[in-house]
Structure formats: structure tokens, C-alpha cells
Amino acid sequence: MKIPSSILTLLVGIFITLASLWYGQNHGLLPVAASSEAELVDGLFNTMMTIGFGLFLLVEGALIYAAIAFRRKEGDMSDGEHLEGNIPLEIVWTAIPAVVVLGISIYSFDVYSRMGGLELMNHDMGAMKAPSVEVAYAPSYDADGNLISEAGLGIMPGMATEENPVLSIEVKGLQYAFIFNYPNGIVDGELHVPINEPVELNLNAQDVLHAFWLPEFRVKQDMIPGQETKLVINPILEGTYPVVCAELCGPYHGGMRTQLIVHSKEDYEAWVDSRVTAMNAGDTTIANLPKAPADRTEAEYLAPFVEPLQLAVAPDSLASLHEHSLHGHSTHLAQ
Amino acid sequence: MTAIAEPKTLSSETPLILGNERKWTDYFGFSTDHKVIGIQYLVTAFFFYLIGGSLATVMRTELATPAPDIVTPDVYNGLLTLHGTVMLFLWIVPAGAGLANYLIPLMIGARDMAFPRLNAIAFWLIPPSGLLLVSSFFFEPPQAGWTSYPPLSLTTGMLGEGIWIMSLLIGGTASILGGINFLVTILKMRVPSMSLTDMPLFCWAMIATSLLILISTPVLAGALILLAFDLFAGTAFFNPTGGGNPVVYQHMFWFYSHPAVYIFVLPLFGAISEVVSVHARKPIFGYRAIAYSSIVISFLGLIVWAHHMFTSGTPPWLRMFFMITTMVIAVPTGIKVFGWVATLWRGKIAYTSAMLFAMGFIALFLIGGISGVMLAAVPFDIHVHDTYFVVAHFHYVLFGASVFGVFMAVYHWFPKMTGRMMNETWGRIHFALTFAGMNLTFMPMHELGLMGMNRRIALYDPQFTDLNVLATIGSYLMAVSTIPFLINAIWSWRYGPKAPANPWRALTLEWQTLSPPAIENFEELPVLKTGPYDYGLGYIAEEDPEELYAHGTPIPAT
Amino acid sequence: MQTLDASFAPLRPLRNYTMQSSIDTTAEGTINIAQEGAASHHEEHPDHRLFGVLVFLCAESMLFMGLFIAYITFRLIATEWPPTGTPSLEILLPGINSLILISSSFVIHKADTAVKKNDVDGVRTWFSLTIGMGVVFLLGQLYEYSNLEFGLRDNLFASTFYVLTGFHGLHVLLGILMMFAVLWRARKPGHYSTENHFGIEAVELYWHFVDVIWIILFILLYLW
């Protein structure tokens, strides 16, 4: 007995829907979500995977079915039916994708605003920080109330409170390293943060374009020479995570990376204390700074991927930067 | 004066001998015949495809291991810059121009393009542009990626970057001159009986492509001119140390380079509409929807560019605006894909090489389109921008649609262009190898990007090794897959079975004349009696042309 | 020997179109294989070259549009414009120069009117006058350049000023050269007439384009 095609279609539709719903939540394609931002982004991605997988099964399925079922029979030289179109069908397959992309747009807008993406349009965020390079323009604010706001991500709405001020860290990107300037004057080649506290990263590039990317946090922002950009992250999982430069910055772009270590609150305090103590004892080396690219061997390039960066003496040329970053820090403290 | 046969007046006793009108030397000279120019474009473009592919093979060999052990990182950056630039400006754009050149006059019943000499000039700008760019590999290749963002591109070497700029300015000029010709020819030189809605969809696609070329390419020229001033004259348009702004370059660059991707793919959207209809013996489903969607894509394509800059110096409101326009452009694109599948539905699908590549095109473009809509979502793009996820996306649309489309078009129109049939068995082998190789190479890249592998790096985190090895094996398969095509094309051109005028029994005008066409295309200009896709109405004889696959001269109708 | 007859039936009778010629170009029983572009197989068709020039000018205007938008962007995001220390531009001399260029558009139009009345002498007169005005414009620009206190590299305003006006000047020069070319061709009697004057119209269109670009440029650089 032949099953009616409408029943078959219904069954196929049910299968596609269930398979997509399952796969959208169980694809296993993303790394761990280590920040509040990551959780929001992953929700969006899972939804898009559900829709995408369903669309994939539907259209590829129709294509494969058509290729097999409607293959021209040997010796059949006649034409197919003269069907020029079907207006109701065409309206449906225009309207449904339009509704779907509209829905994804709204969802994306919501995720973006929850991540703090719209917070940068708020001009009350405080005084502008002087860029490290003298420029004729200030892309963030000016006396006339500029159109152009800062680029990046701001604080997630509702996160920062009076009692819980945001930890603010200056990040400098240069060929081929990241240098972090902490409050208290700590300078380090690695990023250390406490868990469950928003951290504001003020990004500056020294020479060419770089980018600051935390895959496990799902946040990225280009570092633009002459223009300070901003990222705010909310770590929710202790651990060590890669920090990757994500904008071609020269031959050793692949080696420009460091680590983010998320500590418990106590461990973070301990780390700060140890670094401040060392600083007061006269140790001015920038900890964890990678060697200049030309001096690194292949093994040294790959070592950071395998184990934490080793302490290295800062090359002479970077010593002056250390001075400069201290200067920048004092400007920052004055606010 | 061109080196062609002397004008002959034949008596009624002299046969019209096919294939003797042109000597092979015609194809190496300054010919104003659109058919010669079209073939010149296609062959030249394919030559650069092989170069771009070789560059990719070296890159993938390097990426089989995490360490930079085959080439040094600066050489690697040179490879990736040349790979991208060659593939886009010397392969895909000229290949599309070649198809357009060959087909447009034939499809609209004209004897040539509107401006034949301008046409030849446009082609002859391509070899110098290409040779200049490729030669840089022997002196100092450009190393800042095909996007060449300053300030980096101002520091990687004046010679290499200067060559890159010059090459693009010449190639861009060629593209603009071609666009003028396509637009004027289609709008003004159709036979009187062919209104716009009687045109083959390839012509609609070329109108859309030409509009994009004319509006956006000059803005790239502006960006390159300012970059050249920064590079050579010490100005600081894009250099912050002199008061300039690198992000302005990005806006100018992408204002062209986003429409550019539609320039890369629209001609093949047009071509596939022709192929699926003919090889499934069924009218294209939704002619007007597909025709108008090309124009809508063209228009929308001009207002989505900043989706390449979602992590750059772009304020939130700008990111949101471009997210919406980018999402919207999925709709007219989806209409096309559904239309092609609906054309196949209940058709009579012949598994010709052309049709296999067409179905592969649809399958792969769908995947690229889905990843594209994902990339339009700003929060997700922030995670995967500048990672292998983007590399996967654009190779699915560029290779899966554009390259598959060019192969599809060649299998379909080769009989018309050369008067010979290609070998179908080897065509199927070519398809199978290319389809498998392509997926093996680029599918793993989605995961690589999601997991944290960034782009344009010669050394990578060892945790990504396995997927990279898979991709490298796939790339070798892709390299091998080119061989059956090359041999098939060259051998068939010389020794393939002679093709009749209309081996696919199609209705569009290019098939209503000889294969290859006489120099002036048509004996007398045609008057239409049917639409271009009127299959199923009894217009076509229900049998293969007698001469199909037969050797010897065609039998005339009496 | 097999032949194909003059009504060119394709190799298999297809009924989807008919062949109709508007001009009887072939004698019975013969087939002409013509040289490319030769008239023997050539139906009359309208001259599309002016439309082509129009399309080209649309593309060319996008080149300037890109540069203008770059300038506008630089200006809008700057804290101070022109950057500190830039001497302000003189308006008088460039203003007079602009009036000369704008007037020359009216002058060149008179040449178009002339050729439509078959008055080639008139074309010569008006084109020569336009060339003169164009040369005066360019000399005025060079004079202004020599008197400016800032150089190409001094700051962003200076760079954009020189690049924009320089590119425009290049286009003016090209226009002048094309006018010379037209004057040269006009030496041949009958080359330009009421029916055939594409060259004159094309150059006129181009000259108007150059003029409009200057007006926008002047407003942006000098007046804004």
C-alpha cells in the first residue's frame, strides 16, 4: 500500500524539525563558554545552527531527491512540463526567509545590547583617554558632541555598580606582543583577572592594526593605532584561556598571542600582592613578555601553546615602552 | 586589420566549412570579435587559476604542520596575498567577463558588442596586470593580504605593495571598460522582438553585474590612489602618525570589495539559470523573480559593505545598520536557490557534466549562504571574524558557486565555442574529484574558526593539526581534480567529436547558429517566436540531433 | 558537395524563430563571410557611443565621489579642521578661476549648437576659446599652488587639497587635449557635420562633467 505523499512530506518535515532542534543544541562545535558574553552568543549561534541545519536538510534533501527521482530516463527525449512558476509558492518562500532573517536580526540586536554593545553610545562614560600617538582627530568625544562613538563593547547593562567598580586594564598591542598595564602600576605580558567581575580592557595599538580576541569569551575588537577601542568582559569560569591577535599584523602574526588567567578572588589578590611586592623591590622587568620574533626558535613559538609563557627579560627596545606605559598609567590614575 | 580569412564570396558549389573561419593565431592577437575576446579572457583566466591554485597548494602544504617549516612566515604572507589577489582579479572577474563577452551578443541576436575595439583594449589590460602581479613573487611580493590594510601595507615593502596597487588599477580599468560594453550592448542592441523580459537570465545577471562594476570599482581606484600617495609620496591619509585614519581605507576598500563578491558570482547565477533549464528540459521556475532578484542583489550589495568591519573602528549604530541590510540580502539570494531547485523538480534531469556541476553549485552555495547569514549576525561575527570560519564561508561561495559555475558554463558552451563536444565521462570524473576535494578542504575550516584558529597565519596552535591535515589532503585532491579537466578541454578542442549547432536542443539564440558561430554570428538577424525557456510546448524536436557524436561534416537541412 | 542555401536553415529545422532580414544583403545562392565590422553583413544600427560616454562618466564620477566622501569623513571626525597651523585658503583668485571654468561650459555648448547647424568654423572658434579658458584655469591653479604656504605632506587637509585639485586638474588637461584632437580632426572637411558630430558632443559632455566636479570640489574645499 502506497503511503500518501502528504503523509510522507509531513514525516520528512517532522524529522527535519526534530533533527535540527537536537543538532542546534548538541553540535559540540564551540569551545567552552567562559564569560557571560559567551553564553549569550552561544544561545544565538545554537538558534542559527538549528535554522541552518534545518534549511540544509530541506534544500539539500530536495536537491538530492530531485536529482534521483527526476532523472531523465534512457531514451526519453521529451521535455518536462511547461511550468513557469507558482506565485503563491514564490510568495511563501520569499516571506518565510524574510521573517526568519528579521527574527535573527532582532535576536542578534538583543544579544548585542545585552553584551554591552550599545553602551558605548552613552557619552557619560567618563573622560576620554589620550591616545598614545598624537593625532589630529579624536574619534570618541569632542566639545561638539561627535557622531562617532568608541568602537568595541561596553559594560553589560546592569553589571557595574557603585560598590563594584570595574577593573580597568590598559592593553597595548605591538608587533608581536600584548602588554597589559594594571592599576597599581603592574605591567605584564599576560592578562590576569578575578572571576565574576567585569573587566574593562582599553585597547591601543602601537604600530599597525592588531586585534584582541578571546575565543572562549566570544569577544574581539580591533586595536587601531591612534584610536582607543574598548572591550568589557565578564569571566564566569576559572582557567587559562588563549588571547589571540586576530588582525594580520606582519609575518609573525601567528605568534602574537598570550594567555588570560581567570583567578578566584583570593588568588587574584595574591597575584596582585606578589607583583606589587616585586615592583617595590625594584624589579622592573615586564613579566611574561615574549622575545622579539627574530630571536625566537620554532620551538619557542610553539611553546606558548603547550605551557604557560616563561618569564623573559624584556628586550632593550621595550624598556622605553615600559617607561611610556608608566606615564600613561599615571594619567589614568589621575582620573 | 586583423589576421582573419580574406572576405570570400562563395559560389553555391563551395561548402561552408565549419571551423575554418578562424586560425589559431587569431586568438593571440588584437581581435575585436567578441567571441575571440571571450575565449581569450577564459583561457587567460584559467592560466591564472592554475597559478592561484599552485599558491594555495603550497600554503596548504605549509599548514599541514603547526610550525612554519616549509616556508618562512613572510614568504607565507606573500603567498596568501598573491593567492587571494590572483584568484579574485585574474581568475574569477576575467572568467565572468569572458563568458559575458562570448554570450551576450549571441543571446540577444547582435553581431558584436557595442564597442568592439574598447572590448579588445579591456581584455589586453589583463595580461600585463597579471604578469606584473605574479612577477612580484620574484622581487618582493605584497604581504598585507589581498585587503592590504594600512598601516601594515605601508610597512611591508614599497616595491611589492606598489606592484599590487598598480596591478589592481590596471585590472580595475579593464573591468570598468568591460562593464560599459555589457551594459550598453544589452540595453541597446537586443533584436527588436526581444523585450527585457524575453531576455535570457544571463543577460539580466550581466546588467546587475555591470551596474555594480561601474558604481563600485572607481571607489576602489580612489582608495588605491590615496594608498599609493601614502606609500610613495609620504602623505598620511591612512597613517595615524600623520593625522590619518586607517578605518577610512577600510570603508573605501570594502565599498568596492563587497559589491565585488557579487560581481564574482552574479554572472554564474545567470549561467546556472541557463544550464538547469536546458539540462532538465523545463522552463526556469520564476523567471521574473530570478531576473529582478539580480537587480535587487545589485542594489543591496552596495549598502552592506561594513559587515566586513564589525570588529573594526565602527560605532554600534553602524554595526546594527549593516547587520540588517546584510540579513536582507539573503532573501533575493534564497529566491534564486529555491527557483533553481524548483526548476529541477519534475524535470527530466540529464546527468551531463554541465548539470552535475550545476547541482554541485546549488549544494555548495547553499552551505556558503547559510554560513553567510550567520556571519551577518554581529555578536556571532565578532567571535569568528578573521578566523577560518570566514575562510570556509567565502570558499564555499567563491569556489562552490563561482568556480563550479565556470566549469559548468564551460561544459555547457564548449560545443558552441569550439565546435567540438567535450568528453562526458571525464567530465563526470572531474566533477566527482572536485566536489569531494572541495568539501574535504573547506568543511573542516568552519570548525577550525569556531574553535579559535585565526586567519593568515603560518604557525598555529597544535590542537588544530588534525583538521588542518584533512584540509591539506582535500587541497591535494582539488589540485589533482584539475587534471582531467585540462586534458579533456585541450584534447576535445583538437580531436573531440564535431558538435552540431544545438547539441543540447536549447531555445536561446546562441544555439540557433553554427558551432562555432560564423564571424558575424548570424546570417540574418533573428526574430523571436518563443521565450528563452519555453520547454514543454513542442518547439523542440524530440530527438537528438543526428550529428551528435557523429564524425564528419554536418548534414544540411533540405 | 554539400551546400547551405541562402535562407540559412539550421542543421535541424527548429520552429522557435524565423529569420527575417530588414535589408536584402545577400545575392541568391551566395554566402558572404565578411571581415569583422565590415558593412557587407551589417544592418544599420543607431550610434550608441554617446550613451557609452554617459555610462563612462557615471563611473568616473564615482571615482571623485569616493575621494569626496573620504574628505568629508576626515573633516567630520577631526577635532580641528583645518588642522592647527594651516593657513586659510584665499577665495578670490580661485573664485575667479572657477567662474572662468564654469563659463567655459557655456562656451563649449556654443560649439555644439554650431555643429548642429553645420558650422564647423564655429566649432573651431568656440573650441579654441574653451581651450583658452581651460588653460587659464590650469595656469591659475599652478599659480595658486606656487603661492600656497603648505605642501603635500604637511597635514591631512593639505594632502587632500593637493590630491583632489590635482586629480581634477589632470581631468581638465585631458579635456583640453581631447579638444585639440577634435580641432585636428576638424581639419578634414566633412568630418564633422550636422549628422556626424559624436566627437564634439562627447567632449562637451566630458567638459560639463569636469565642471560639475569642480563646483562640488570648490564648495567642499574652499567654502565649507
Side-chain angles (χ1 to χ4, degrees):
Chain A
M1 189 180 70
K2 204 171 172 319
I3 306 172
S5 66
S6 48
I7 302 287
L8 278 172
T9 315
L10 181 66
L11 288 172
V12 167
I14 292 174
F15 167 75
I16 291 179
T17 310
L18 291 176
S20 312
L21 285 170
W22 180 84
Y23 188 65
Q25 305 299 319
N26 293 288
H27 50 75
L29 293 172
L30 285 168
V32 70
S35 70
S36 320
E37 292 86 13
E39 293 183 320
L40 289 167
V41 173
D42 287 5
L44 174 64
F45 179 68
N46 290 350
T47 304
M48 293 198 294
M49 273 306 273
T50 304
I51 298 171
F53 191 64
L55 191 64
F56 171 82
L57 289 176
L58 181 66
V59 181
E60 304 286 14
L63 182 63
I64 294 170
Y65 179 81
I68 298 170
F70 304 117
R71 186 175 178 181
R72 191 177 70 168
K73 312 253 180 308
E74 187 74 40
D76 179 2
M77 300 304 284
S78 62
D79 286 349
E81 66 176 301
H82 184 80
L83 181 62
E84 290 187 345
N86 182 324
I87 301 291
L89 178 60
E90 292 177 58
I91 292 176
V92 164
W93 75 36
T94 309
I96 292 183
V99 168
V100 167
V101 298
L102 187 66
I104 299 179
S105 300
I106 295 172
Y107 186 2
S108 299
F109 180 87
D110 183 59
V111 167
Y112 194 61
S113 82
R114 282 176 204 266
M115 283 168 73
L118 303 178
E119 288 305 303
L120 294 175
M121 291 168 79
N122 180 355
H123 283 247
D124 299 332
M125 280 185 71
M128 187 194 72
K129 295 163 185 53
S132 50
V133 179
E134 197 58 55
V135 290
Y137 72 91
S140 303
Y141 322 107
D142 71 0
D144 304 324
N146 218 299
L147 267 180
I148 311 224
S149 357
E150 220 167 333
L153 293 174
I155 298 172
M156 286 175 76
M159 271 285 179
T161 60
E162 287 298 316
E163 310 84 43
N164 200 13
V166 172
L167 172 61
S168 203
I169 299 174
E170 301 282 311
V171 184
K172 228 172 279 297
L174 59 151
Q175 287 169 323
Y176 300 95
F178 295 100
I179 299 179
F180 301 92
N181 288 283
Y182 298 79
N184 309 325
I186 302 169
V187 184
D188 203 302
E190 283 179 343
L191 182 56
H192 293 258
V193 300
I195 194 172
N196 288 325
E197 262 182 48
V199 178
E200 176 187 80
L201 301 166
N202 295 302
L203 309 169
N204 286 285
Q206 280 303 113
D207 37 30
V208 297
L209 289 166
H210 297 275
F212 189 91
W213 181 32
L214 287 165
E216 277 75 7
F217 285 56
R218 318 286 189 264
V219 294
K220 178 187 290 120
Q221 174 55 45
D222 283 7
M223 303 163 85
I224 303 165
Q227 177 178 352
E228 188 172 83
T229 54
K230 184 193 293 285
L231 268 184
V232 179
I233 56 174
N234 295 275
I236 58 175
L237 214 58
E238 284 180 43
T240 304
Y241 308 103
V243 179
V244 182
C245 175
E247 183 60 55
L248 179 64
C249 56
Y252 293 91
H253 169 57
M256 182 166 166
R257 44 166 55 211
T258 180
Q259 300 185 112
L260 161 65
I261 297 108
V262 179
H263 299 274
S264 65
K265 294 235 187 320
E266 303 77 39
D267 288 348
Y268 181 70
E269 301 293 331
W271 175 79
V272 170
D273 285 339
S274 76
R275 300 287 285 115
V276 168
T277 313
M279 243 172 46
N280 292 339
D283 178 2
T284 56
T285 58
I286 301 173
N288 299 315
L289 195 69
K291 284 195 243 169
D295 302 331
R296 280 190 250 181
T297 64
E298 234 169 65
E300 283 172 319
Y301 263 117
L302 294 175
F305 302 129
V306 178
E307 56 201 60
L309 287 168
Q310 304 304 309
L311 278 167
V313 175
D316 290 336
S317 56
L318 290 168
S320 57
L321 264 174
H322 181 64
E323 290 303 308
H324 186 87
S325 59
L326 282 177
H327 172 75
H329 153 71
S330 57
T331 320
H332 178 76
L333 267 185
Q335 286 141 18
Chain B
M1 251 323 244
T2 55
I4 53 150
E6 292 291 307
K8 292 196 278 275
T9 303
L10 298 180
S11 70
S12 44
E13 282 75 45
T14 316
L16 181 65
I17 301 161
L18 296 171
N20 271 12
E21 291 194 332
R22 289 228 164 273
K23 296 195 279 292
W24 66 272
T25 48
D26 292 344
Y27 292 93
F28 287 86
F30 191 86
S31 171
T32 55
D33 180 348
H34 73 97
K35 299 183 292 300
V36 172
I37 295 173
I39 292 175
Q40 286 175 318
Y41 264 113
L42 284 168
V43 173
T44 308
F46 197 76
F47 167 74
F48 284 110
Y49 173 60
L50 295 176
I51 293 182
S54 308
L55 293 166
T57 310
V58 177
M59 286 166 67
R60 282 304 335 161
T61 307
E62 168 53 61
L63 290 171
T65 56
D69 39 17
I70 310 285
V71 293
T72 53
D74 53 326
V75 170
Y76 183 81
N77 282 7
L79 289 174
L80 70 88
T81 304
L82 287 176
H83 167 72
T85 313
V86 165
M87 285 305 205
L88 297 176
F89 293 102
L90 297 167
W91 158 232
I92 286 296
V93 171
L99 282 176
N101 254 303
Y102 195 92
L103 294 173
I104 288 173
L106 288 168
M107 283 181 165
I108 63 174
R111 297 200 183 282
D112 206 312
M113 301 285 269
F115 311 119
R117 266 173 310 184
L118 194 70
N119 208 12
I121 292 171
F123 165 69
W124 280 105
L125 290 173
I126 301 290
S129 163
L131 291 171
L132 178 64
L133 185 69
V134 171
S135 75
S136 73
F137 195 72
F138 301 102
F139 310 116
E140 178 187 271
Q143 287 178 40
W146 85 276
T147 48
S148 197
Y149 280 4
L152 179 69
S153 55
L154 301 173
T155 67
T156 50
M158 224 189 255
L159 179 62
E161 188 60 23
I163 289 177
W164 184 84
I165 292 175
M166 217 42 240
S167 168
L168 256 68
L169 285 172
I170 298 173
T173 306
S175 188
I176 292 173
L177 296 181
I180 296 174
N181 242 325
F182 304 147
L183 194 64
V184 176
T185 307
I186 297 173
L187 289 181
K188 297 285 190 182
M189 290 177 67
R190 282 166 284 121
V191 280
S193 52
M194 186 186 283
S195 70
L196 280 174
T197 46
D198 292 321
M199 281 197 311
L201 287 165
F202 182 78
C203 300
W204 276 102
M206 287 316 302
I207 291 179
T209 310
S210 304
L211 288 171
L212 284 178
I213 292 175
L214 294 167
I215 296 174
S216 62
T217 318
V219 178
L220 177 72
L224 294 176
I225 288 167
L226 295 181
L227 190 67
F229 267 92
D230 273 10
L231 186 66
F232 295 119
T235 52
F237 294 109
F238 307 126
N239 193 340
T241 53
N245 189 337
V247 179
V248 173
Y249 172 86
Q250 294 179 22
H251 279 290
M252 290 178 85
F253 176 83
W254 286 112
F255 183 83
Y256 164 72
S257 297
H258 189 83
V261 316
Y262 298 110
I263 294 168
F264 303 149
V265 88
L266 275 167
L268 290 320
F269 280 172
I272 193 176
S273 297
E274 308 299 329
V275 171
V276 295
S277 179
V278 170
H279 293 261
R281 316 252 18 108
K282 210 165 145 275
I284 194 79
F285 192 97
Y287 172 94
R288 282 186 196 234
I290 296 190
Y292 300 155
S293 67
S294 292
I295 306 296
V296 170
I297 288 173
S298 178
F299 167 69
L300 284 174
L302 288 164
I303 53 171
V304 295
W305 78 87
H307 67 228
H308 299 271
M309 298 165 60
F310 280 155
T311 64
S312 182
T314 44
W317 57 266
L318 196 135
R319 297 181 183 185
M320 291 295 104
F321 172 79
F322 282 98
M323 171 173 84
I324 294 170
T325 52
T326 309
M327 289 276 186
V328 171
I329 208 169
V331 178
T333 319
I335 288 175
K336 287 183 187 290
V337 173
F338 302 144
W340 296 322
V341 175
T343 306
L344 294 172
W345 196 266
R346 286 208 238 276
K348 301 198 180 207
I349 302 171
Y351 279 20
T352 52
S353 308
M355 180 52 107
L356 289 172
F357 272 97
M359 292 195 289
F361 175 130
I362 299 171
L364 299 172
F365 182 75
L366 178 74
I367 297 174
I370 291 173
S371 61
V373 173
M374 292 179 165
L375 287 166
V378 169
F380 175 67
D381 182 79
I382 285 178
H383 174 54
V384 292
H385 170 78
D386 225 90
T387 69
Y388 267 83
F389 188 89
V390 178
V391 177
H393 160 71
F394 68 67
H395 280 96
Y396 265 90
V397 288
L398 273 174
F399 195 92
S402 293
V403 178
F404 264 61
V406 173
F407 284 132
M408 168 197 80
V410 170
Y411 282 109
H412 182 66
W413 278 292
F414 187 93
K416 180 56 53 182
M417 293 179 181
T418 63
R420 307 259 181 182
M421 304 298 293
M422 285 186 87
N423 183 295
E424 283 296 316
T425 309
W426 282 108
R428 290 171 182 168
I429 294 173
H430 173 215
F431 167 74
L433 290 175
T434 314
F435 190 81
M438 188 275 178
N439 280 295
L440 191 57
T441 311
F442 299 114
M443 187 57 79
M445 292 186 183
H446 293 103
E447 174 63 353
L448 282 171
L450 290 171
M451 287 304 292
M453 183 174 176
N454 49 332
R455 276 175 81 169
R456 297 173 165 169
I457 53 177
L459 52 151
Y460 59 81
D461 186 337
Q463 66 161 305
F464 300 130
T465 310
D466 290 343
L467 289 176
N468 269 291
V469 168
L470 264 181
T472 300
I473 295 171
S475 75
Y476 292 157
L477 192 55
M478 285 172 74
V480 162
S481 76
T482 325
I483 299 173
F485 173 76
L486 261 175
I487 298 178
N488 192 354
I490 296 172
W491 189 92
S492 301
W493 203 326
R494 290 283 289 145
Y495 306 113
K498 284 228 180 6
N502 197 351
W504 313 122
R505 297 180 300 125
L507 282 169
T508 41
L509 287 181
E510 79 271 23
W511 299 106
Q512 315 317 327
T513 185
L514 303 169
S515 296
I519 290 177
E520 298 243 328
N521 294 350
F522 303 96
E523 179 69 20
E524 288 156 6
L525 295 183
V527 174
L528 293 182
K529 275 176 76 177
T530 76
Y533 308 107
D534 279 347
Y535 301 101
L537 291 178
Y539 293 121
I540 304 274
E542 291 188 7
E543 53 215 12
D544 262 337
E546 252 169 55
E547 308 80 14
L548 194 58
Y549 296 106
H551 294 270
T553 51
I555 302 163
T558 32
Chain C
M1 279 284 196
Q2 294 159 340
T3 62
L4 289 170
D5 67 19
S7 63
F8 185 59
L11 300 167
R12 202 99 203 124
L14 285 167
R15 287 152 288 174
N16 66 318
Y17 76 106
T18 57
M19 287 293 212
Q20 258 174 40
S21 63
S22 48
I23 303 167
D24 182 17
T25 52
T26 58
E28 216 147 73
T30 65
I31 296 163
N32 286 327
I33 303 167
Q35 263 181 305
E36 285 158 14
S40 59
H41 224 163
H42 210 69
E43 294 77 8
E44 284 295 316
H45 70 77
D47 187 353
H48 301 302
R49 289 178 297 173
L50 212 57
F51 186 60
V53 170
L54 214 61
V55 171
F56 168 74
L57 289 177
C58 288
E60 197 68 4
S61 61
M62 286 309 296
L63 171 64
F64 281 98
M65 218 50 58
L67 294 172
F68 288 158
I69 306 250
Y71 177 79
I72 293 171
T73 310
F74 287 135
R75 176 142 171 24
L76 283 177
I77 64 177
T79 39
E80 208 187 316
W81 194 267
T84 339
T86 317
S88 49
L89 287 173
E90 191 205 330
I91 307 284
L92 182 63
L93 214 61
I96 295 172
N97 230 11
S98 307
L99 285 169
I100 294 174
L101 190 67
I102 295 170
S103 319
S104 70
S105 261
F106 293 95
V107 171
I108 198 175
H109 183 65
K110 291 191 98 62
D112 183 55
T113 320
V115 80
K116 285 180 173 145
K117 291 184 292 197
N118 226 13
D119 175 14
V120 183
D121 280 327
V123 173
R124 273 191 267 271
T125 313
W126 298 118
F127 259 46
S128 305
L129 199 53
T130 313
I131 289 174
M133 293 168 91
V135 170
V136 167
F137 176 83
L138 284 178
L139 289 174
Q141 285 249 271
L142 287 171
Y143 178 77
E144 189 193 357
Y145 279 4
S146 66
N147 281 356
L148 282 172
E149 282 151 32
F150 53 81
L152 173 68
R153 280 179 280 268
D154 283 354
N155 59 45
L156 197 55
F157 172 79
S159 305
T160 46
F161 176 85
Y162 279 109
V163 169
L164 252 64
T165 54
F167 256 83
H168 176 262
L170 214 68
H171 281 73
V172 172
L173 183 63
L174 267 152
I176 292 172
L177 292 174
M178 286 197 287
M179 281 187 268
F180 271 119
V182 166
L183 285 179
W184 182 263
R185 289 188 154 192
R187 285 158 63 253
K188 181 172 157 201
H191 186 89
Y192 292 116
S193 65
T194 317
E195 298 83 33
N196 290 318
H197 51 261
F198 163 70
I200 292 165
E201 272 190 307
V203 175
E204 186 198 349
L205 257 177
Y206 178 85
W207 196 252
H208 291 324
F209 159 78
V210 156
D211 202 1
V212 170
I213 295 293
W214 177 254
I215 294 172
I216 302 174
L217 219 159
F218 188 76
I219 295 174
L220 279 180
L221 284 177
Y222 290 86
L223 299 181
W224 184 25

